[in-house]
Amino acid sequence: MLSRLVVKKPFVRSVCAHSSSPYQFNRHHHHHHTLDRFLETGIILDQYIIYSSFIESKRVAELTTLENGMKVVSLSGGFTGPAAALGIFVNTGSRFESQTNAGSNQVLKNLAFQSNESKIYLQVQREIAEIGSTAFAQISRDNLLISSEVLPPFSKQMLTSLSNITNPKLAYHEVRDCTEQTIEESESLEHCPVTQVFESLHKQAYRGRTLGRPLVAPVCNLGSLATEQVVDVANSAFTPSNLTLVGVGLNHKDLVKEAQQLKFGKTNGGAANKGESAKYVGGDEITYVTGNNHIVLAFEGVSYKNTKDVAASAVLKAILGGGSIQPKTAPGNGKTSRLFTLLEKNQSSLVKTDSININYQDTGLFGVYAESTETSQVGQVIANLANEFATVAKSAVSAQELDRAKNIAKTTVLEQTDSRSGALEFVGKQALYNNAKVLTPEEFVQEINSVTAEDIKRVASKMLQSRPTLIVRGNIQDVPTLDQVQSLTKFF
Amino acid sequence: MSNISKLLSCTQKLGVRSYSSEAVKLFANRDFLVQNPETKITTLPNGIRVATEQSFGETASIGVWVDSGSVYENEKNNGVAHFLEHMIFKGTEKRPSPNFIETEVENMGGNLNAFTSREHSAYYMKVLKENIPNAVDILSDILQNSKFDQKLIDDERHTILSEMQYIQSQENELVFDQLHATAFQGSPLGRTILGPVENINSITRNDIKKFMEDNYTGQRLVIAASGAVNHEQLVQQVKEKFGSIKAGDAAPRQLITNEFVGSELRVRDDSIPLVHFAVAVKGLSWSSPDYFVLELIQTMIGNWSRSIAAGRNVSSNLGEVVATEGLAESYSTFFSCYNDTGLFGNFGVAQPGRVDDLVCEMLKEWQRIANACTDAEVQRAKQSLIASSLMQYDGTSKICESIGRQVLTLGRRITPAELYLRIAEISVSDVRRVARELLVDVSPAVTAIGSVENFPDYNFVRGWSYWNRL
């Protein structure tokens, strides 16, 4: 019977494929050698379920720019499981907003799965649900991401849905409802200290311009935000040259071909959102609140453009690390890092520490974050944080520490891109930021491999030369001035 | 036509039952289902099973899954399985301190973690491929040569008590502990994983060592790995490092019976503004032939919360009612499996004034599925369940976890193709049959905490579990 089977190589039978099948069926006694119910259809299905046509392949990143200006980037090969990821990065976000249309991109995010020029909202949502896909929209300071996961047979359908989504209808009542929803979201974030601290960090670092515009939609402006303003933002955002289509686990050529046959964006042409380039300024902000203190001390980091420095900053982040006492940090998440060691030494005052490394297209932020107890000495905490950072720049890291940090940085990238959605963001961002070459995670790991102790010192020192940004929420009694902070970190 | 399509169309020609043609209907191209690495399983002489899926790449996840959890404890040592899991990381002869282990793991950029559930304990690592032998060495060392230093045991009591405090501040965790306590009262499953405070304070070094000797035996261990792992090499490494573990017996499952008891446990705490509750029936065990049918019913009843983008346009019937009527902050449908039993039901969070309507709608939906669900909604739910199940194959950590769990509970691995076919073959009559068996005219286990004053009386809930025909 088996000889009838036409199968591709490799075909290997699992050792225990049905020797101990738990699915006990008594209806088919004649299949005495197995209890599996698939034998009802003969041996063929039984072979099918353990048949494997998987072959090893390396991950490959490919980028194509279509005639209309839309970029198509994909990561194929490797192993993505029996599913694929499809997403669209839109070159829009709060960095392009003005005083009058602040918050409009948050509204645009909430409008993603509402009606578009081809389908009404119910169809949009049901079409995605029907094929079992999951999708979400997420807005950042410089991009709107609409991301989905899909089974490969439905990838074309999902692609069509995505193309429709890039041409939203923006009916008055939908904009109104989504603005209401945005107000609720903003209000719920009002009491989230981490969000507030990161808002302040950007606001001060870029002095209210570009990346310093509010990401959390300002409620005071949402009330007067007119539908026309949202339509204007959508019109300039959804042009093909602002779009980057990303596929993970799909054939690049097929994806390009399918994308060419569909209409993406509200217009056929149109310019890309340019905006002014971000200029790091630095500054401080102190806010009185009760409860634990939240503290950020940051400097200008590295931009996405310089791959070598991005790799060095990733290693620097691993050296500083971070962690928390409760929930307990497990080995592999920074237990041996400098900031965790600081936390362990100061358990009575520190609750949580972390290092911050954000890379934007034209700038970046790098720093340290701490949550300390209400009774802790904020000035001392800041001095400790500044000292940890300055030490990395002052004295070379040991070979052992560097090796460890490089290994951690490597596994962090590989772990993130091990999932389909993580891989999608990894390649998508590079294309969005106009990187000349899109690196695979493995290629980026090679960049990490070549980071030296000298690179760490160079990158860290350069960061410390910028004016600090200091944010404190909590006890503001003994916060040092920026000059004082600078004297703590300056050593050249 | 691909080979696989040929295979399936062959079976149609054989004139066999409809599910393969249902399967054909759902997807035109099924090749992607078999582009999955083969699962290789080898049983060593001492009973340890090594199960791998080699998907290549730069990293690998590897873990030890043990058929041992709180269900194998008794009243006196309840909590010891979890305590043991904590103490495993505290040092061996070769690796004398917790710090030594942590540094070794971080030096290679790996991570190491563990969990204990009611039936299982797992210890797992994620490492770069060149460090796999090292990972096997660390896992084998901590699982065989842990010192269980008395001073560190005493220190750990504090950590476990603060973990307990954390869990008790999470209402959803509390509801599920309470649900087990009432549904499986008098049975091992009714106890908590962390154990009572008295036990955490009194568990001795001997208790821990004895529990480990009794339960961590070859027949009850599965070593699972996914990613850049070569099966033959791993088998060899495991033979070397775990070969001396004695075989012991299979888990004494036949000695454990977990009787489901229809009952109620409510804790009134008016300082909590909402009601957090669960209504559950006896579900199915891991190896039930109807496992996937119940998963499908779970999909049909669905989940909803205020924050989901679809709002009232969700595809589940109950979700739509809840959203339109504003009955809940959130609800979910759970299906917990055990070796000899299971729990199936709804969990909800609601305003005190809406909770009775919410519970009523939930049980009404169970009855509707048992009596009147339609072919269209079953097909839609199948599509969604197939997709969400297949999407679980996402990254080596998740895959390794699922290999370990399946080999431990089923003795084998379910491939994407099997998963697909098992779901694709389900028909409306299967759904109605299983729903009638489990969800109709039953005495559920009910539990609630928070502002429970308006939570419906048990007999009401019991009464909503059937429809009268007039």
Side-chain angles (χ1 to χ4, degrees):
Chain A
M1 244 176 135
L2 275 173
S3 61
R4 286 209 341 253
L5 216 73
V6 188
V7 287
K8 288 181 235 163
K9 285 272 165 194
F11 176 80
V12 198
R13 209 185 163 90
S14 299
V15 183
C16 286
H18 24 66
S19 57
S20 51
S21 165
Y23 299 89
Q24 306 215 348
F25 266 71
N26 301 323
R27 278 183 283 160
H28 300 277
H29 299 290
H30 51 285
H31 296 301
H32 56 274
H33 58 292
T34 168
L35 297 162
D36 203 288
R37 77 197 291 189
F38 282 112
L39 283 193
E40 278 185 74
T41 54
I43 195 107
I44 293 168
L45 273 183
D46 188 46
Q47 294 298 323
Y48 175 68
I49 64 169
I50 56 163
Y51 165 77
S52 163
S53 71
F54 177 74
I55 31 170
E56 180 185 8
S57 61
K58 284 227 154 12
R59 288 202 273 196
V60 186
E62 288 161 281
L63 172 67
T64 306
T65 306
L66 305 185
E67 265 175 37
N68 62 5
M70 182 170 88
K71 280 171 278 191
V72 181
V73 62
S74 55
L75 188 66
S76 49
F79 175 62
T80 52
L86 259 180
I88 287 192
F89 274 99
V90 188
N91 181 32
T92 183
S94 54
R95 77 173 286 173
F96 303 108
E97 286 173 1
S98 67
Q99 183 68 11
T100 48
N101 68 7
S104 49
N105 278 284
Q106 288 283 4
V107 180
L108 213 53
K109 170 209 77 183
N110 287 330
L111 280 160
F113 303 107
Q114 295 300 322
S115 305
N116 53 54
E117 295 294 351
S118 315
K119 306 276 158 123
I120 62 156
Y121 69 98
L122 194 61
Q123 281 174 306
V124 174
Q125 295 168 9
R126 283 288 162 90
E127 269 180 2
I128 296 170
E130 202 114 84
I131 56 173
S133 285
T134 52
F136 66 85
Q138 168 191 303
I139 186 84
S140 333
R141 287 172 203 279
D142 61 1
N143 67 75
L144 166 66
L145 168 62
I146 296 152
S147 182
S148 75
E149 288 197 47
V150 64
L151 297 183
F154 299 121
S155 64
K156 208 173 169 182
Q157 240 166 293
M158 191 65 222
L159 189 64
T160 311
S161 292
L162 285 177
S163 81
N164 290 338
I165 285 172
T166 60
N167 191 3
K169 185 152 183 90
L170 310 168
Y172 168 77
H173 64 282
E174 286 182 356
V175 176
R176 180 198 60 203
D177 291 352
C178 288
T179 308
E180 282 297 318
Q181 194 187 340
T182 309
I183 292 174
E184 269 178 43
E185 281 170 7
S186 290
E187 281 171 349
S188 74
L189 289 170
E190 238 164 58
H191 301 289
C192 171
V194 178
T195 308
Q196 295 302 332
V197 160
F198 275 79
E199 280 291 280
S200 302
L201 167 65
H202 283 86
K203 201 162 64 180
Q204 296 303 333
Y206 300 101
R207 195 73 193 162
R209 298 182 84 88
T210 63
L211 294 163
R213 310 279 323 158
L215 172 63
V216 178
V219 175
C220 53
N221 193 44
L222 287 176
S224 54
L225 196 66
T227 303
E228 292 71 29
Q229 284 173 295
V230 178
V231 171
D232 282 347
V233 171
N235 281 341
S236 57
F238 291 110
T239 64
S241 45
N242 273 327
L243 303 178
T244 303
L245 174 67
V246 203
V248 172
L250 295 166
N251 179 299
H252 182 70
K253 282 206 182 86
D254 292 349
L255 185 62
V256 170
K257 220 167 104 193
E258 284 164 12
Q260 276 166 336
Q261 288 159 3
L262 293 164
K263 181 177 181 278
F264 283 87
K266 290 190 91 60
T267 54
N268 290 324
N273 265 338
K274 275 252 163 54
E276 64 179 300
S277 60
K279 193 173 175 306
Y280 179 88
V281 178
D284 65 339
E285 183 175 314
I286 56 175
T287 312
Y288 170 88
V289 288
T290 53
N292 282 354
N293 306 302
H294 295 263
I295 301 155
V296 171
L297 173 62
F299 299 86
E300 178 163 30
V302 300
S303 83
Y304 230 90
K305 283 277 165 204
N306 188 337
T307 312
K308 193 172 149 67
D309 285 2
V310 173
S313 73
V315 178
L316 181 58
K317 178 173 161 55
I319 292 172
L320 288 168
S324 61
I325 299 289
Q326 191 68 257
K328 232 172 122 194
T329 298
N333 298 309
K335 268 235 135 134
T336 54
S337 68
R338 296 199 180 190
L339 289 179
F340 189 83
T341 313
L342 178 73
L343 173 84
E344 270 194 322
K345 262 190 266 165
N346 296 283
Q347 279 198 34
S348 54
S349 60
L350 287 173
V351 178
K352 195 179 173 202
T353 53
D354 209 352
S355 40
I356 302 162
N357 181 24
I358 313 173
N359 312 115
Y360 291 107
Q361 182 176 11
D362 46 358
T363 177
L365 286 172
F366 194 100
V368 286
Y369 160 84
E371 180 180 345
S372 73
T373 57
E374 200 165 6
T375 51
S376 60
Q377 299 290 316
V378 173
Q380 190 54 48
V381 172
I382 293 168
N384 288 341
L385 292 174
N387 182 45
E388 289 299 330
F389 198 168
T391 315
V392 201
K394 262 184 232 170
S395 41
V397 287
S398 72
Q400 200 208 10
E401 191 178 12
L402 179 68
D403 260 358
R404 181 200 298 147
K406 280 161 77 169
N407 282 337
I408 290 174
K410 281 193 271 189
T411 39
T412 305
V413 171
L414 291 169
E415 171 99 54
Q416 274 167 3
T417 57
D418 204 11
S419 78
R420 290 177 289 266
S421 59
L424 184 143
E425 290 205 32
F426 184 82
V427 289
K429 268 222 170 131
Q430 296 179 60
L432 172 80
Y433 289 156
N434 293 316
N435 279 17
K437 184 177 170 348
V438 175
L439 300 181
T440 63
E442 290 72 23
E443 285 164 341
F444 184 67
V445 162
Q446 290 308 316
E447 293 284 340
I448 294 175
N449 268 334
S450 56
V451 172
T452 63
E454 205 36 58
D455 290 329
I456 298 296
K457 211 174 162 185
R458 174 179 56 81
V459 169
S461 315
K462 197 176 162 214
M463 288 170 182
L464 289 176
Q465 281 168 35
S466 65
R467 190 163 173 251
T469 305
L470 176 66
I471 310 298
V472 176
R473 272 178 82 82
N475 182 351
I476 52 172
Q477 199 123 287
D478 60 345
V479 181
T481 64
L482 272 193
D483 290 339
Q484 286 168 323
V485 172
Q486 226 159 0
S487 70
L488 290 170
T489 53
K490 214 162 210 160
F491 56 90
F492 29 80
Chain B
M1 195 196 268
S2 73
N3 289 325
I4 300 307
S5 320
K6 266 184 213 154
L7 291 182
L8 284 178
S9 60
C10 254
T11 62
Q12 274 181 292
K13 275 184 208 141
L14 288 172
V16 288
R17 236 190 58 190
S18 62
Y19 51 70
S20 56
S21 61
E22 281 290 336
V24 171
K25 251 197 268 167
L26 283 171
F27 294 138
N29 181 356
R30 290 166 301 275
D31 282 355
F32 74 99
L33 289 169
V34 289
Q35 283 157 8
N36 206 62
E38 182 208 345
T39 316
K40 294 185 185 174
I41 307 179
T42 301
T43 308
L44 302 185
N46 63 355
I48 293 182
R49 282 160 291 175
V50 182
T52 64
E53 283 177 17
Q54 183 176 20
S55 53
F56 304 96
E58 297 300 312
T59 59
S61 292
I62 170 164
V64 180
W65 266 256
V66 195
D67 197 337
S68 159
S70 61
V71 80
Y72 299 108
E73 299 165 347
N74 53 46
E75 228 162 273
K76 278 192 173 154
N77 70 358
N78 176 208
V80 72
H82 176 254
F83 210 124
L84 163 63
E85 174 224 304
H86 273 239
M87 293 314 296
I88 286 256
F89 299 101
K90 300 296 179 200
T92 66
E93 295 303 326
K94 199 170 140 191
R95 300 176 167 87
S97 68
N99 190 267
F100 191 99
I101 298 174
E102 286 155 11
T103 310
E104 188 178 359
V105 172
E106 296 212 337
N107 277 348
M108 53 188 197
N111 53 55
L112 167 64
N113 219 332
F115 71 80
T116 300
S117 67
R118 285 183 165 78
E119 283 183 345
H120 304 142
S121 284
Y123 305 86
Y124 47 93
M125 295 186 73
K126 174 134 187 167
V127 291
L128 294 167
K129 65 180 170 193
E130 58 268 27
N131 295 321
I132 296 172
N134 222 344
V136 178
D137 187 59
I138 292 175
L139 289 169
S140 77
D141 192 28
I142 59 176
L143 282 162
Q144 294 175 83
N145 311 316
S146 272
K147 288 190 295 188
F148 301 123
D149 183 284
Q150 185 63 49
K151 187 185 169 297
L152 294 177
I153 291 178
D154 291 334
D155 290 349
E156 201 61 18
R157 299 188 204 282
H158 172 72
T159 311
I160 296 175
L161 287 173
S162 78
E163 187 180 339
M164 182 186 246
Q165 222 170 27
Y166 175 76
I167 287 178
Q168 287 182 345
S169 67
Q170 310 286 310
E171 282 94 1
N172 57 339
E173 297 264 1
L174 267 182
V175 165
F176 280 102
D177 272 352
Q178 267 184 206
L179 181 65
H180 281 83
T182 188
F184 297 115
Q185 47 192 278
S187 299
L189 269 182
R191 291 191 281 263
T192 62
I193 297 163
L194 263 61
V197 176
E198 310 87 77
N199 289 8
I200 295 171
N201 281 324
S202 66
I203 282 169
T204 64
R205 181 170 187 267
N206 273 346
D207 292 334
I208 295 174
K209 287 193 77 150
K210 169 115 184 23
F211 187 83
M212 193 163 187
E213 272 162 30
D214 291 349
N215 293 283
Y216 283 46
T217 53
Q219 299 232 40
R220 296 167 69 171
L221 295 183
V222 169
I223 293 174
S226 154
V229 60
N230 175 291
H231 185 75
E232 285 69 33
Q233 281 173 13
L234 184 67
V235 168
Q236 201 47 48
Q237 286 154 8
V238 172
K239 261 187 196 158
E240 274 166 36
K241 302 285 180 184
F242 287 86
S244 56
I245 285 187
K246 64 175 196 308
D249 296 321
R253 290 179 188 170
Q254 65 287 354
L255 300 178
I256 301 167
T257 43
N258 292 298
E259 283 301 336
F260 179 91
V261 184
S263 54
E264 186 194 66
L265 176 60
R266 55 170 93 188
V267 176
R268 181 167 171 175
D269 179 352
D270 288 349
S271 72
I272 302 171
L274 300 167
V275 196
H276 303 253
F277 69 93
V279 182
V281 297
K282 184 182 174 182
L284 297 172
S285 67
W286 289 113
S287 57
S288 163
D290 288 325
Y291 176 90
F292 286 103
V293 182
L294 193 53
E295 270 209 342
L296 188 68
I297 295 174
Q298 180 189 16
T299 308
M300 290 168 71
I301 303 173
N303 302 312
W304 187 85
S305 87
R306 280 198 185 280
S307 61
I308 66 165
R312 67 178 66 172
N313 304 323
V314 287
S315 49
S316 87
N317 191 60
L318 180 60
E320 191 184 330
V321 173
V322 166
T324 313
E325 307 288 327
L327 295 182
E329 302 302 303
S330 70
Y331 84 84
S332 60
T333 311
F334 58 87
F335 175 20
S336 313
C337 279
Y338 297 105
N339 285 320
D340 64 331
T341 186
L343 279 176
F344 181 90
N346 276 126
F347 169 75
V349 181
Q351 299 285 349
R354 308 308 319 258
V355 72
D356 50 345
D357 284 350
L358 178 61
V359 177
C360 179
E361 288 298 339
M362 283 169 171
L363 276 95
K364 213 162 107 187
E365 178 66 1
W366 298 4
Q367 304 318 307
R368 194 192 64 81
I369 289 173
N371 293 297
C373 66
T374 65
D375 187 49
E377 67 175 313
V378 169
Q379 294 308 329
R380 201 169 58 217
K382 276 160 69 172
Q383 195 77 273
S384 140
L385 179 60
I386 286 171
S388 64
S389 307
L390 292 177
M391 283 172 192
Q392 295 295 313
Y393 293 76
D394 191 20
T396 60
S397 307
K398 273 193 198 169
I399 291 172
C400 179
E401 200 264 325
S402 128
I403 299 172
R405 183 170 36 78
Q406 288 181 354
V407 174
L408 216 53
T409 53
L410 303 175
R412 65 189 195 96
R413 171 80 163 139
I414 295 181
T415 61
E418 180 179 357
L419 214 134
Y420 164 69
L421 288 166
R422 284 199 186 278
I423 300 169
E425 68 167 326
I426 298 170
S427 67
V428 182
S429 56
D430 291 326
V431 173
R432 291 194 186 177
R433 173 180 55 81
V434 173
R436 277 183 196 151
E437 279 167 19
L438 299 175
L439 302 172
V440 174
D441 197 9
V442 285
S443 297
V446 180
T447 186
I449 33 177
S451 304
V452 299
E453 196 186 8
N454 192 35
F455 192 83
D457 178 78
Y458 185 79
N459 287 319
F460 274 100
V461 183
R462 174 69 182 85
W464 290 327
S465 83
Y466 57 85
W467 282 354
N468 287 324
R469 287 175 193 280
L470 297 171

